[in-house]
Amino acid sequence: MQLQPANTGSDLIWTQCQPCQACYETKYALFDSRNSSTYRNITCSARECRLLGDARPPNYSPNICRKFPEGNCDYRVTYADKASSTGVLAKETITLTSKTGKVVTLKDIVFGCGFLNDAGPVGATGNQMGVIGLGKGPLSFVSQIAPHVGGKRFSYCLVPLDTDPSTKSQINFGNGSEVLGEGVVSTPLVDIEGESYVVAVEGITIGNEFVPFNSSKTLANKLNMIVDSGSTLGDVPRDIFDRVVTQLNMTLDPELEPRHIHHKLPHTNSSSWHELPSK
């Protein structure tokens, strides 16, 4: 099965499955568990089902698994851009290719088989089949394969979605995935509880000018921000946003005209207007 995109902001791995009740258009055949000898459904009472957390369907009764312990483990995930997937949790064998070209077989990987899927308002590119969750939670791909590859670590170089499909992205897991060499710099992750990767941002540089996070209105000098490869927009507090816009206006060509982008804020009913320069 083809799985895209890689998302550091979520945990669950899922793909579009047959028989599909509603799926978005894709260039690839949908995964059909009826043709797999290694596919296994996960029951409602299984440990893996209890690990779903927020990925449980919103209408899930707290005691439904007591009533139907051998029933399917249903899931529903919804993302900030309103994309979503609903289906059943299952286990399958997944194969990866190592740096040496050796095929590595990983058994009983937990994933979601999606029968109701929505690509969101942006829409699918045709190359997408689902999502690889690379978060810190127990059901993420990184966490599941950690015992086989030497720990929860990974690095990647992801090509844009509109790149020629023959050009493949590279993801390295476990031992040897570190990016090393001359000129390589790194930013440490903030060690806090939760399932997100967090970095401490001191400010934003525009050209040669550094705009610090702190201002006269706050005593904090750093801003903890989530690293989410599945999100297209960065969100920052209004204070630093306004100062970044001011610095941009001072730096960019004054002949550029603003272009308005309407952004509906996730998890709220409010919206914001961003002005981006364009010719």
Side-chain angles (χ1 to χ4, degrees):
M1 67 180 79
Q2 303 285 331
L3 290 171
Q4 296 184 36
N7 188 1
T8 61
S10 65
D11 294 333
L12 187 65
I13 312 163
W14 64 268
T15 188
Q16 299 197 113
C17 288
Q18 293 280 20
C20 193
Q21 300 175 39
C23 286
Y24 50 79
E25 186 176 351
T26 176
K27 300 175 183 177
Y28 304 99
L30 273 61
F31 176 70
D32 193 337
S33 63
R34 295 168 294 190
N35 298 328
S36 173
S37 61
T38 54
Y39 176 91
R40 298 289 184 273
N41 269 336
I42 291 176
T43 63
C44 192
S45 59
R47 180 187 66 88
E48 292 87 353
C49 192
R50 294 194 296 270
L51 296 176
L52 274 175
D54 293 341
R56 283 179 176 270
N59 59 347
Y60 227 53
S61 171
N63 61 351
I64 191 171
C65 289
R66 295 178 184 175
K67 294 181 179 180
F68 309 101
E70 298 305 312
N72 288 331
C73 176
D74 297 332
Y75 79 87
R76 176 173 173 78
V77 289
T78 303
Y79 303 96
D81 64 355
K82 306 307 177 184
S84 64
S85 175
T86 301
V88 298
L89 211 62
K91 291 183 179 181
E92 183 58 285
T93 296
I94 293 179
T95 58
L96 301 177
T97 303
S98 69
K99 291 181 179 179
T100 61
K102 179 182 177 181
V103 176
V104 180
T105 300
L106 302 170
K107 297 181 179 180
D108 294 331
I109 298 298
V110 178
F111 78 108
C113 211
F115 305 120
L116 284 167
N117 309 299
D118 186 343
V122 176
T125 63
N127 294 321
Q128 296 174 231
M129 278 295 294
V131 169
I132 305 177
L134 297 178
K136 294 165 58 179
L139 292 183
S140 79
F141 191 64
V142 176
S143 297
Q144 289 194 63
I145 70 172
H148 307 288
V149 298
K152 297 181 182 180
R153 54 175 67 94
F154 66 97
S155 61
Y156 59 76
C157 180
L158 304 180
V159 300
L161 287 176
D162 57 356
T163 302
D164 187 328
S166 63
T167 303
K168 298 181 179 179
S169 297
Q170 297 290 325
I171 305 182
N172 300 312
F173 297 98
N175 291 330
S177 62
E178 298 85 357
V179 180
L180 305 171
E182 184 179 354
V184 172
V185 296
S186 63
T187 300
L189 296 175
V190 179
D191 186 14
I192 59 176
E193 291 186 6
E195 299 181 355
S196 300
Y197 301 107
V198 176
V199 294
V201 177
E202 297 181 357
I204 298 174
T205 299
I206 301 171
N208 295 323
E209 297 297 325
F210 178 71
V211 181
F213 163 65
N214 66 311
S215 71
S216 58
K217 298 180 181 180
T218 176
L219 297 177
N221 57 12
K222 292 182 180 180
L223 170 66
N224 285 343
M225 296 189 69
I226 295 174
V227 180
D228 184 358
S229 64
S231 177
T232 57
L233 288 174
D235 293 311
V236 296
R238 188 76 202 192
D239 174 52
I240 188 173
F241 177 84
D242 290 339
R243 289 184 286 119
V244 166
V245 170
T246 298
Q247 186 59 48
L248 275 172
N249 289 333
M250 295 171 59
T251 305
L252 297 177
D253 186 344
E255 297 298 321
L256 295 177
E257 296 181 0
R259 176 166 53 95
H260 297 283
I261 293 183
H262 186 241
H263 172 213
K264 187 171 180 60
L265 299 176
H267 312 305
T268 71
N269 292 321
S270 61
S271 302
S272 64
W273 287 91
H274 293 178
E275 288 192 2
L276 299 182
S278 62
K279 290 186 177 181

